[in-house]
C-alpha cells in the first residue's frame, strides 16, 4: 500500500524534484528505498505574513512493503488502503430504473448503473447540450428566457455553466473515482493533483456529452425535454412516472432533480413525500479586476507566470448558525444571468478553462434559516423566489441590480465602482435595502468591511444581485439506505435533495444511490 506524505513546503522557485527529496528526508528514506514516488497534490500558500510557497504531497511506494506501516506512523504521513469499487449487483439487471435529472448526481448514477450492466432511463427536463448552449446564449444576448432549457436545466445540470470546480469538503474515496472518470472523458490529468481542481465551462460541456454517449453506448437512455410531470405511488412504492403524457413503469426511481426544480418540490409535497426546509445562503456576486486580486494576494509577486490566477475564500462568523462568506470564486470569470423563471433575476459565476477574463468574481452571501423564512417545507423556496422577483421589479427588466461595495457600506447607491460589470444583460445601480431584508444587508456590510481589511481588492468591488441558489432550500428526508421516508424505492439524491453541495459531492451521492439500488435484494 502506498504512503502519502503531506505538507512539503517549498519556495515557488524550487523544483518539484527538490520537494521530492525533502519528502524522502522527512520520512528518513533514501532513493534506493523507494519503488516509486509521484505527485499526489499541489497547492499554493499565499497567506499574508508567510512567504508565498507551493505545498506538496507525494505518494510513495516502498521497495520493501513490510516497512510501510512503520514509515506511515511518522509525522505528516498516511497509509493509503486501496479499496476496489465493485458493487454486488443483487438487483435483477432487467429492472426498470428511472433517473430524474441529468446533472452530476444523475449522470454518475446512470454511468455507474450502465457500467454494471443495467439500462437506466434518464428523464431530463431541459435540452441537449447543443440546444442548451443555443438557448442560453440567445437569452444572454437579450432574447427570450426558455424556462425549460437554461443555466439551471438541461444536459449536465447547473454545473455546466460554472467554473467546473471540483473542490469539495467531503473526504470520500469515491471523490477519486469521480476525478478519474472526468479524466477518462476528456479532462486534463492535472485535476488529479490540483488542490483546487477546475475544468472550465467550455471543457465540462464536452466531457458531459462524452459521458452521456458512453451511457447510451452501454444501453442506457437519456431523454431530453422530458420533465418529471407526475409520480404514481401505491402501497409505499413508486410504480410509474409520467413525462409529456407518457407513462414509464419503474422498479426504482432516483430523484436527481437539482436545487432549482421548484415545481418538482411542489409535486413531491402533494404526493406526501416528507420534505423539510433547510438553511441556505443568499447575497450577491462581487467583481474585482483580476489584477487587483492578484496584487492583494501575491504583492510584489503578482503577475509571476509560475503562480495561478489569484483566488480567495473568506468568512466572518457571527454565531454558530450565522455567517457572511465568499463562495464559488471564479478567477478570470464572468457574472452570468442564471434564472429559470420568467420575470426574475438570478446571478451566478462562470469561467472558461483558461480563466482569462479581466474580472474575478465570487458570491458574497449570508446564511439564512427558518428564522428568516419560516418553517413550512417550501418557505425557503418562496423566500428566494420573492427576492428574485423583487430584483426584476426594481429594474423593470432583466438588468441586474448592482451597488459598489463603498456604496453599500455608506448607504449611497450613487457611489460608482471603477470595475466594469461583466453581467451580459446590463446592470442598474439600485438601493439593496429595497431588495434584501435588513438582516441580510447588515451582515453583508459587516462581512464586506472585514474582507476589505484582509484584501484591498474588496473595497473597490462591485456587487451584482441577487445570488439565491447557493444550495437547495429543502431536504427530502431519506433513510440510511438512501430511500425516501415512507417510499421504499424512491432515492432522493444529490444537491436538490439536500445531500450535496457542488459537482463532486453530488456525483458521489449519485454513485452511492446507484450502488444502494444494485445491492438491494428486495
Amino acid at each position: 500500500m502506498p504512503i502519502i506524505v503531506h505538507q512539503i513546503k517549498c519556495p515557488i522557485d524550487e523544483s518539484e524534484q527538490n520537494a521530492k527529496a525533502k519528502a524522502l528526508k522527512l520520512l528518513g528514506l533514501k532513493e534506493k528505498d523507494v519503488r516509486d514516488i509521484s505527485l499526489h497534490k499541489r497547492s499554493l500558500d499565499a497567506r499574508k505574513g508567510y512567504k508565498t510557497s507551493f505545498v506538496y504531497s507525494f505518494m510513495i511506494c516502498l521497495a520493501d512493503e513490510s516497512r510501510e506501516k512503520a514509515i506511515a506512523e511518522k509525522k505528516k504521513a498516511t497509509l493509503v488502503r486501496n479499496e476496489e469499487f465493485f458493487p454486488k449487483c443483487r438487483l435483477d439487471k432487467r429492472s426498470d430504473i428511472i433517473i430524474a435529472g441529468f446533472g452530476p448526481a444523475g449522470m454518475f448514477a446512470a454511468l455507474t448503473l450502465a457500467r454494471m450492466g443495467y439500462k437506466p432511463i434518464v428523464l431530463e427536463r431541459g435540452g441537449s447540450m447543443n440546444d442548451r448552449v443555443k438557448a442560453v446564449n440567445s437569452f444572454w444576448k437579450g432574447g427570450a428566457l426558455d424556462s425549460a432549457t437554461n443555466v439551471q436545466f438541461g444536459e449536465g445540470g447547473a454545473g455546466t455553466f460554472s467554473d467546473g470546480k471540483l473542490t469539495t469538503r467531503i473526504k470520500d474515496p469515491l471523490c477519486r473515482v469521480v476525478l478519474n472518470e472526468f479524466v477518462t472523458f476528456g479532462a486534463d490529468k492535472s485535476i488529479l493533483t490540483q488542490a483546487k481542481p477546475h475544468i472550465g465551462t467550455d471543457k465540462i460541456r464536452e466531457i458531459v456529452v462524452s459521458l452521456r454517449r458512453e451511457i447510451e453506448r452501454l444501453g442506457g437512455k437519456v431523454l431530453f425535454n422530458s420533465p418529471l410531470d407526475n409520480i404514481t405511488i401505491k402501497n409505499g412504492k413508486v410504480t410509474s412516472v409520467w413525462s409529456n403524457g407518457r407513462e414509464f413503469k419503474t422498479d426504482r426511481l432516483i430523484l436527481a432533480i437539482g436545487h432549482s426544480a421548484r415545481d418538482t418540490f411542489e409535486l413531491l409535497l402533494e404526493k406526501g413525500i416528507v420534505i423539510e426546509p433547510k438553511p441556505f445562503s443568499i447575497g450577491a456576486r462581487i467583481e474585482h479586476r483580476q489584477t487587483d486580486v492578484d496584487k492583494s494576494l501575491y504583492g510584489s509577486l503578482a503577475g509571476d507566470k509560475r503562480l495561478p490566477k489569484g483566488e480567495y475564500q473568506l468568512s466572518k462568523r457571527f454565531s454558530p448558525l450565522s455567517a457572511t462568506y465568499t463562495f464559488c470564486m471564479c478567477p478570470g470569470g464572468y457574472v452570468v444571468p442564471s434564472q429559470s423563471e420568467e420575470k426574475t433575476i438570478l446571478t451566478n459565476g462562470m469561467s472558461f478553462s483558461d480563466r482569462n477574463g479581466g474580472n474575478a468574481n465570487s458570491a458574497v452571501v449570508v446564511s439564512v434559516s427558518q428564522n428568516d423564512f419560516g418553517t413550512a417545507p417550501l418557505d425557503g423556496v418562496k423566500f428566494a423566489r420573492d427576492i428574485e422577483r423583487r430584483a426584476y421589479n426594481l429594474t423593470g427588466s432583466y438588468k441586474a441590480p448592482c451597488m459598489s461595495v463603498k456604496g453599500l457600506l455608506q448607504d449611497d447607491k450613487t457611489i460608482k465602482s471603477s470595475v466594469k460589470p461583466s453581467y451580459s444583460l446590463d446592470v442598474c445601480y439600485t438601493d439593496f435595502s429595497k431588495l434584501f431584508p435588513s438582516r441580510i444587508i447588515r451582515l453583508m456590510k459587516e462581512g464586506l468591511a472585514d474582507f476589505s481589511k484582509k484584501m484591498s481588492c474588496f473595497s473597490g468591488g462591485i456587487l451584482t444581485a441577487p445570488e439565491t441558489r447557493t444550495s437547495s432550500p429543502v431536504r427530502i428526508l431519506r433513510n440510511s439506505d438512501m430511500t425516501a421516508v415512507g417510499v421504499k424505492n424512491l432515492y432522493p439524491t444529490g444537491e436538490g435533495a439536500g445531500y450535496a453541495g457542488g459537482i463532486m459531492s453530488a456525483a458521489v451521492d449519485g454513485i452511492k444511490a446507484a450502488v444502494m439500488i444494485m445491492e438491494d435484494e428486495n
Side-chain angles (χ1 to χ4, degrees):
M1 292 179 286
I3 295 166
I4 296 179
V5 57
H6 308 277
Q7 293 293 312
I8 306 301
K9 186 175 287 191
C10 297
I12 62 170
D13 56 359
E14 195 166 309
S15 69
E16 184 178 312
Q17 195 60 38
N18 284 351
K20 287 180 179 179
K22 286 185 177 181
L24 294 179
K25 183 178 180 180
L26 180 67
L27 298 182
L29 297 171
K30 299 184 182 301
E31 287 188 16
K32 65 181 180 63
D33 300 322
V34 174
R35 179 162 46 86
D36 182 61
I37 178 170
S38 60
L39 178 65
H40 179 63
K41 292 287 181 184
R42 190 183 81 161
S43 61
L44 181 72
D45 185 351
R47 291 174 295 171
K48 287 193 174 182
Y50 295 84
K51 185 175 181 180
T52 301
S53 305
F54 287 122
V55 182
Y56 298 86
S57 61
F58 293 100
M59 187 173 289
I60 298 172
C61 297
L62 297 181
D64 182 357
E65 295 181 1
S66 65
R67 298 180 61 195
E68 288 171 347
K69 186 175 180 180
I71 294 293
E73 288 175 350
K74 295 194 175 185
K75 185 179 180 182
K76 296 181 180 178
T78 45
L79 190 63
V80 178
R81 300 188 183 279
N82 292 323
E83 297 179 4
E84 296 293 341
F85 176 65
F86 293 110
K88 294 179 182 177
C89 297
R90 296 191 183 100
L91 185 70
D92 191 318
K93 293 188 179 181
R94 295 171 296 177
S95 299
D96 295 319
I97 304 173
I98 303 292
I99 300 171
F102 198 60
M107 284 191 297
F108 277 84
L111 180 65
T112 303
L113 289 162
R115 283 253 172 87
M116 300 304 293
Y118 297 86
K119 300 187 186 323
I121 296 175
V122 182
L123 304 177
E124 168 52 53
R125 73 164 66 203
S128 65
M129 191 63 71
N130 284 341
D131 291 344
R132 190 179 183 195
V133 170
K134 288 177 184 177
V136 169
N137 285 340
S138 174
F139 177 60
W140 287 354
K141 291 176 181 177
L145 172 69
D146 186 331
S147 59
T149 301
N150 45 60
V151 168
Q152 303 299 333
F153 302 134
E155 183 169 15
T160 302
F161 289 88
S162 70
D163 190 57
K165 291 180 186 64
L166 303 181
T167 50
T168 179
R169 293 180 180 178
I170 65 171
K171 304 290 185 183
D172 194 298
L174 287 176
C175 289
R176 195 71 179 182
V177 173
V178 173
L179 288 174
N180 281 324
E181 292 289 11
F182 278 125
V183 171
T184 297
F185 292 106
D188 191 276
K189 289 183 179 180
S190 63
I191 67 170
L192 299 175
T193 56
Q194 291 171 345
K196 296 180 179 180
H198 79 102
I199 296 176
T201 189
D202 49 336
K203 297 297 184 184
I204 203 165
R205 296 174 192 176
E206 300 170 5
I207 291 165
V208 166
V209 172
S210 296
L211 192 153
R212 185 250 299 170
R213 286 175 177 162
E214 175 66 3
I215 292 169
E216 293 172 333
R217 186 188 71 80
L218 294 168
K221 294 181 180 179
V222 181
L223 306 180
F224 296 112
N225 304 304
S226 300
L228 182 65
D229 293 325
N230 206 349
I231 301 173
T232 304
I233 300 175
K234 294 181 180 178
N235 300 318
K237 294 185 74 174
V238 178
T239 57
S240 66
V241 300
W242 295 79
S243 180
N244 295 328
R246 179 183 174 186
E247 184 179 23
F248 295 83
K249 299 290 184 182
T250 183
D251 300 303
R252 304 288 191 283
L253 171 61
I254 295 178
L255 282 175
I257 54 179
H259 59 32
S260 294
R262 292 166 170 174
D263 55 345
T264 308
F265 296 150
E266 293 169 358
L267 170 64
L268 296 173
L269 204 58
E270 289 174 9
K271 295 295 178 180
I273 305 301
V274 183
I275 299 176
E276 65 179 16
K278 182 180 82 55
F280 60 109
S281 300
I282 62 170
R285 279 269 153 187
I286 186 169
E287 283 190 274
H288 342 256
R289 282 180 287 271
Q290 182 65 55
T291 52
D292 291 340
V293 176
D294 294 345
K295 289 175 183 175
S296 294
L297 284 171
Y298 302 143
S300 62
L301 289 174
D304 192 308
K305 300 298 184 184
R306 295 169 295 183
L307 298 175
K309 296 289 177 67
E311 56 184 309
Y312 55 77
Q313 185 174 342
L314 301 170
S315 66
K316 182 172 178 59
R317 184 158 295 282
F318 306 101
S319 72
L321 298 177
S322 182
T324 300
Y325 62 98
T326 65
F327 170 79
C328 185
M329 203 251 172
C330 297
Y334 307 86
V335 176
V336 295
S338 302
Q339 47 268 67
S340 56
E341 297 177 341
E342 293 182 358
K343 294 187 176 181
T344 63
I345 293 176
L346 175 68
T347 65
N348 195 15
M350 182 191 84
S351 62
F352 296 107
S353 55
D354 60 11
R355 289 178 161 178
N356 263 348
N359 286 356
N361 73 79
S362 174
V364 176
V365 292
V366 175
S367 50
V368 293
S369 67
Q370 295 176 18
N371 293 331
D372 298 286
F373 51 74
T375 58
L378 301 185
D379 278 354
V381 173
K382 181 180 183 300
F383 182 72
R385 178 184 275 148
D386 286 348
I387 290 172
E388 294 164 16
R389 287 176 173 168
R390 197 177 304 133
Y392 181 90
N393 292 333
L394 282 170
T395 67
S397 68
Y398 285 120
K399 290 183 179 180
C402 78
M403 284 191 88
S404 67
V405 171
K406 290 179 180 177
L408 180 65
L409 294 177
Q410 297 178 37
D411 298 316
D412 186 350
K413 71 175 184 179
T414 66
I415 299 176
K416 301 294 195 292
S417 169
S418 62
V419 178
K420 183 179 179 181
S422 60
Y423 188 85
S424 64
L425 296 178
D426 205 1
V427 297
C428 179
Y429 276 84
T430 306
D431 183 355
F432 277 11
S433 68
K434 296 179 180 179
L435 176 61
F436 296 113
S438 59
R439 173 182 171 271
I440 305 303
I441 293 291
R442 176 173 57 82
L443 297 187
M444 280 185 70
K445 285 182 175 180
E446 291 187 29
L448 286 165
D450 181 68
F451 302 160
S452 296
K453 294 174 183 176
K454 294 174 180 175
M455 295 184 66
S456 59
C457 60
F458 266 80
S459 60
I462 187 166
L463 298 157
T464 308
E467 168 110 6
T468 58
R469 303 194 198 178
T470 53
S471 65
S472 180
V474 304
R475 178 170 286 114
I476 306 170
L477 297 191
R478 68 188 189 189
N479 302 303
S480 59
D481 62 356
M482 296 183 71
T483 58
V485 171
V487 187
K488 296 178 181 178
N489 61 343
L490 177 65
Y491 294 80
T493 305
E495 191 160 347
Y499 294 95
I503 293 172
M504 288 295 291
S505 57
V508 166
D509 208 51
I511 293 172
K512 289 181 176 180
V515 171
M516 282 290 184
I517 286 175
M518 289 186 281
E519 294 187 344
D520 188 354
E521 295 179 286
N522 297 318

